[in-house]
Amino acid sequence: LGSGASTAGSGGSIIIAVGSGTSGAGGFVAIQSGRSTVVTGGALSVESGEGTASSSGSIRVASANGGAAGGSGRLVFSSGSAKTGNSGSIMIGSGATTAGRGGAIVVAVGSGTSGAGGAIQMQSGRSTAMTGGALVVSSGEGTASSSGSILIVSSNAGAGGASGALVFSSGTSKTGNSGSLSIGSGVATAGRGGSVSITVGSGTSGAGGLISIGAGRSTVKSGGLVSISSGEGTASSSGSILISSANAGASGGSGKLVFSSGTAKTGNSGAVLIGSGAATAGQGGAVRVSVGSGTSGAGGALSLSSGRSTATTGGILTATSGEGTASSSGVIVISSANGGSAGSSGRLVFSSGTAVTGNSGSVVLGSGAST
């Protein structure tokens, strides 16, 4: 079935159409290739016409518009089932080009005026014997420039709602570990590794949105670890880690920083360790705790307090200078700051606490022995 060639006009069209009716479902058109009982069944090829001097023809597969009381017909692209081998693949793509851009692929849901918007779902294959199928989303390679971006974003909210949530999560597991979630930038050989930024958008009402990082909970062993490490500098310094609250506005204070271990029911609560690393050809890094200056009221206090015990002796508070294995040990200086133009310098108080039934503590001042 075909039309003849034309030398000074267009080739004749071929139309296969079913006539309209007034009762029952409309008549259907079926195109089916041949069946084989010994080898592969016949192929079904639908191909538009070649345009040797211009574009090739389009192929349009569409259902007709719905009537007054129904929806438009669905489109189903599916391979058949298989009994002993793999089911057939479905491949959707645009062709390569030698002097232009590859054609775009757009999958979009039409807009509606009632109910929630239509969903788009991508799901890889399920397996009852091995690992399920992978789902891969990759941008295009740029062999002479940058590769393409991948943008995953929910649409802007309307006048009376919120923008949609983004959820990146692995599934649950019954007998093994659940899947990991990895977010990172790739390695660069002649530039810097790409930054990874997690931020909360600004708002105009209520408190700002929070960022929460929590390691995994375990009912049988220790909970998961949270590790924050700066980048290694193999030829220079490693990167800094900055933990700070934002500056306060016109009528509030800046946010507090809390470094604390959790409580314990039957064992010790966790320790809090703050220190600098060892150095093999330089000085160990300094550790400084200081209170910022202010312009009203008394200066902020700095308090060091060891632990309280309801059963035995309270915790020790120790201040020790650094050892000098080849020279003198470090100095310990305890002093109040100089007094201002209308005040005196602060006093120093060295005192043991009171005792209810025993002796109060001694105060011992002395120098060490020398050999």
Side-chain angles (χ1 to χ4, degrees):
L1 177 64
S3 62
S6 173
T7 57
S10 59
S13 300
I14 296 177
I15 299 176
I16 301 175
V18 177
S20 61
T22 58
S23 66
F28 66 86
V29 174
I31 303 175
Q32 185 171 344
S33 56
R35 176 175 177 267
S36 173
T37 59
V38 291
V39 292
T40 305
L44 179 61
S45 176
V46 179
E47 189 172 329
S48 66
E50 181 184 8
T52 57
S54 184
S55 302
S56 60
S58 300
I59 295 179
R60 183 171 182 267
V61 180
S63 62
N65 295 333
S72 59
R74 64 179 177 174
L75 299 180
V76 179
F77 300 92
S78 174
S79 63
S81 60
K83 295 182 179 178
T84 58
N86 298 330
S87 61
S89 302
I90 295 179
M91 305 180 72
I92 299 175
S94 60
T97 177
T98 57
R101 294 187 302 180
I105 296 177
V106 178
V107 180
V109 177
S111 61
T113 58
S114 66
I120 291 180
Q121 180 172 339
M122 292 190 294
Q123 184 171 340
S124 55
R126 176 175 176 265
S127 173
T128 59
M130 302 275 289
T131 305
L135 180 60
V136 179
V137 180
S138 298
S139 66
E141 181 184 7
T143 57
S145 184
S146 302
S147 60
S149 300
I150 294 180
L151 178 64
I152 301 176
V153 64
S154 61
S155 291
N156 296 334
S163 59
L166 296 181
V167 179
F168 301 92
S169 174
S170 63
T172 61
S173 176
K174 294 182 180 178
T175 58
N177 299 330
S178 62
S180 59
L181 182 63
S182 299
I183 300 176
S185 60
V187 176
T189 56
R192 294 186 302 180
S195 300
V196 177
S197 177
I198 301 176
T199 59
V200 177
S202 61
T204 57
S205 67
L210 61 89
I211 291 179
S212 176
I213 301 175
R217 177 176 176 265
S218 173
T219 59
V220 292
K221 292 202 172 184
S222 299
L225 175 72
V226 174
S227 177
I228 301 175
S229 298
S230 66
E232 181 184 7
T234 57
S236 184
S237 302
S238 60
S240 300
I241 294 179
L242 176 63
I243 300 176
S244 67
S245 61
N247 295 333
S251 60
S254 60
K256 63 181 177 180
L257 298 181
V258 179
F259 301 92
S260 173
S261 63
T263 61
K265 294 182 179 179
T266 59
N268 298 330
S269 62
V272 177
L273 304 176
I274 300 176
S276 61
T280 57
Q283 291 178 322
V287 177
R288 176 177 294 182
V289 180
S290 62
V291 178
S293 62
T295 59
S296 67
L302 181 61
S303 176
L304 295 176
S305 178
S306 56
R308 176 176 177 266
S309 173
T310 60
T312 58
T313 305
I316 298 174
L317 181 60
T318 303
T320 305
S321 66
E323 180 184 9
T325 58
S327 184
S328 301
S329 61
V331 178
I332 294 180
V333 178
I334 301 176
S335 66
S336 62
N338 297 331
S341 59
S344 58
S345 61
R347 63 179 177 173
L348 299 180
V349 179
F350 300 92
S351 172
S352 64
T354 61
V356 177
T357 59
N359 298 327
S360 61
S362 302
V363 176
V364 179
L365 298 176
S367 62
S370 174
T371 58

